[in-house]
Amino acid sequence: MPTGTACLEICALADTLILDEDGVYDPASFNDRLLLGLKGTMSEAELHVLKGKLRAESSTRCDGANMLRPSYRVRLR
């Protein structure tokens, strides 16, 4: 699978524009390519933070006996 940089290079060679909710970018333009690289880096940082939060949440929920106890109750008649 190509990396983000490789995808930008392919788009630049093929004269392809990239569109998102903020605008239209031309990977052949230095400024647009720089901005797209920054957006990619920020997205990776955001994913890293979200994964850390999910790991912290799952470790607090799965401590000791709570991991073996069901989180629902079944009523038998």
Side-chain angles (χ1 to χ4, degrees):
M1 179 185 305
T3 64
T5 308
C7 287
L8 287 178
E9 185 66 31
I10 291 169
C11 289
L13 291 172
D15 290 330
T16 303
L17 298 177
I18 297 175
L19 172 74
D20 72 357
E21 64 272 357
D22 295 328
V24 179
Y25 306 97
D26 180 9
S29 165
F30 175 76
N31 289 334
D32 286 355
R33 195 175 183 127
L34 189 63
L35 185 59
L36 288 168
L38 182 61
K39 283 184 168 212
T41 301
M42 294 300 292
S43 294
E44 285 183 36
E46 186 178 4
L47 285 175
H48 177 74
V49 169
L50 288 174
K51 285 180 184 178
K53 287 181 179 180
L54 286 172
R55 284 188 192 116
E57 180 66 26
S58 67
S59 67
T60 58
R61 286 187 173 199
C62 295
D63 61 341
N66 288 337
M67 194 167 114
L68 301 176
R69 200 175 317 144
S71 59
Y72 57 90
R73 304 246 182 226
V74 176
R75 184 175 171 185
L76 300 174
R77 294 180 181 210

